[in-house]
Amino acid sequence: MNLEDKKVGVILVVIVRESRIDARIAEEFRDKMTDFIRGGDKRLLLNISEVDFVDSSGLGALISSLKRMKGDGDISICGAKTAVKSMFSITRMDQVFRLYEQEEEALNILNKN
Amino acid sequence: MLEKQKIKFVIESRLENVSLVGISIRRLCSSILSLDEKESSLMELAVVEAANNAIVHAYDKKAGFEVEIILSIQQDKIIFFICDTGKAMDTFPPIQEEVDLEDVENIPESGRGISIIFEIMDEVVYKSANGKNFLILTKLIKSEK
């Protein structure tokens, strides 16, 4: 799967260049996120503005990634489309992951904290 | 039951094929049924979760089998039939109990699919007959005047 990353301040921004995070690529997604976390990046902002759809496997990969932080870091999300927000809402995962509308807004807040 | 329209998709039991059906379902719900973006996406999600379950659990992720997804549009409801000829479920897996979301370590990473389906749909029924399994999902919609 296609992920791009860039460091902005203390935040590693991971841009998902895929239209779907689903059962087909969830494992690969989890592995790539694990690589970032093992590389020492503990504050991640996942930009999913190009993602039209996330299923429970994709969500599971996100949760797995968060667990790898072992309480010493966080994963925030920006750019979630309506469909993806619905998924986070019905699973209550919008109470686990902070959702921001835009990357810039998220970085302004996250880099201050 | 007055069926207005019906469409059937048949995919090989590969996870990469599920998106073809998901995207089609979303478009059909949006353009034919005039469901809004959120509602259409939830229909896609429910069907994708059901199709994934058929591939992963009924067929143990083995390719070469068929999953049928049938959309039946009726006057006041949509019915999805997700059918396979693999291992039947004895019973629905237990709906996940609410977890303490502050206890990240204990948030489940899997097993959400059926809970999501129940959350979205108005009726969920599972039947097996003559070697074929049917997961039947019903969503009530506003009737046309």
Side-chain angles (χ1 to χ4, degrees):
Chain A
M1 73 177 295
N2 193 357
L3 299 180
E4 281 181 22
D5 62 283
K6 60 182 181 182
K7 201 72 178 272
V8 181
V10 298
I11 307 297
L12 181 71
V13 181
V14 178
I15 304 168
V16 181
R17 300 283 188 201
E18 298 280 346
S19 61
R20 301 172 80 85
I21 307 175
D22 59 9
R24 177 183 57 92
I25 61 168
E27 202 170 315
E28 187 183 354
F29 175 62
R30 187 183 56 231
D31 290 344
K32 292 199 172 186
M33 291 290 283
T34 298
D35 288 343
F36 288 128
I37 295 163
R38 282 191 182 149
D41 289 293
K42 292 288 193 170
R43 300 196 66 196
L44 269 58
L45 174 64
L46 195 67
N47 183 329
I48 55 172
S49 55
E50 294 182 27
V51 178
D52 296 321
F53 180 82
V54 176
D55 69 8
S56 62
S57 301
L59 189 62
L62 259 180
I63 293 166
S64 173
S65 302
L66 185 62
K67 287 182 180 181
R68 290 202 186 280
M69 300 280 195
K70 298 196 185 297
D72 180 29
D74 57 72
I75 299 175
S76 301
I77 294 169
C78 69
K81 294 183 182 179
T82 300
V84 178
K85 280 185 196 170
S86 300
M87 166 53 150
F88 276 83
S89 173
I90 63 171
T91 56
R92 299 193 305 138
M93 288 300 111
D94 53 355
Q95 297 175 42
V96 177
F97 296 96
R98 277 175 293 180
L99 300 180
Y100 297 95
E101 291 295 319
Q102 305 286 342
E103 181 180 301
E104 188 179 341
E105 167 207 358
L107 288 170
N108 283 341
I109 294 170
L110 294 171
N111 270 316
K112 276 183 191 165
N113 294 334
Chain B
M1 130 179 124
L2 184 65
E3 188 173 76
K4 291 166 68 179
Q5 288 173 292
K6 182 163 134 183
I7 184 167
K8 181 174 171 179
F9 302 90
V10 182
I11 58 170
E12 189 193 348
S13 53
R14 292 176 178 274
L15 290 172
E16 59 262 37
N17 290 336
V18 176
S19 64
L20 302 171
V21 179
I23 292 166
S24 303
I25 293 288
R26 188 197 292 213
R27 292 273 189 240
L28 286 165
C29 287
S30 167
S31 54
I32 306 264
L33 295 165
S34 300
L35 297 187
D36 67 23
E37 187 182 350
K38 179 179 172 181
E39 291 166 331
S40 301
S41 69
L42 289 175
M43 294 301 102
E44 175 184 8
L45 180 59
V47 171
V48 164
E49 295 293 342
N52 285 345
N53 278 349
I55 292 169
V56 170
H57 300 297
Y59 294 132
D60 290 328
K61 278 193 184 177
K62 290 177 188 158
F65 298 96
E66 285 189 349
V67 180
E68 290 179 356
I69 300 98
I70 300 165
L71 163 60
S72 170
I73 299 171
Q74 299 181 13
Q75 188 68 31
D76 58 351
K77 58 188 153 191
I78 323 167
I79 307 179
F80 298 98
F81 299 80
I82 296 89
C83 317
D84 66 79
T85 55
K87 270 188 302 189
M89 275 196 294
D90 291 327
T91 180
F92 279 125
I95 303 293
Q96 285 188 346
E97 291 179 11
E98 292 213 350
V99 296
D100 178 4
L101 297 178
E102 301 210 2
D103 182 12
V104 172
E105 283 308 306
N106 286 316
I107 298 176
E109 295 172 34
S110 64
R112 267 194 186 73
I114 201 71
S115 305
I116 289 170
I117 292 170
F118 269 96
E119 185 70 32
I120 294 170
M121 291 296 172
D122 293 303
E123 185 181 81
V124 180
V125 172
Y126 184 79
K127 295 182 181 179
S128 289
N130 301 320
K132 195 164 182 177
N133 309 313
F134 305 82
L135 183 64
I136 306 166
L137 314 179
T138 303
K139 185 71 180 175
L140 301 176
I141 54 174
K142 291 175 192 168
S143 334
E144 291 171 3
K145 289 189 179 174

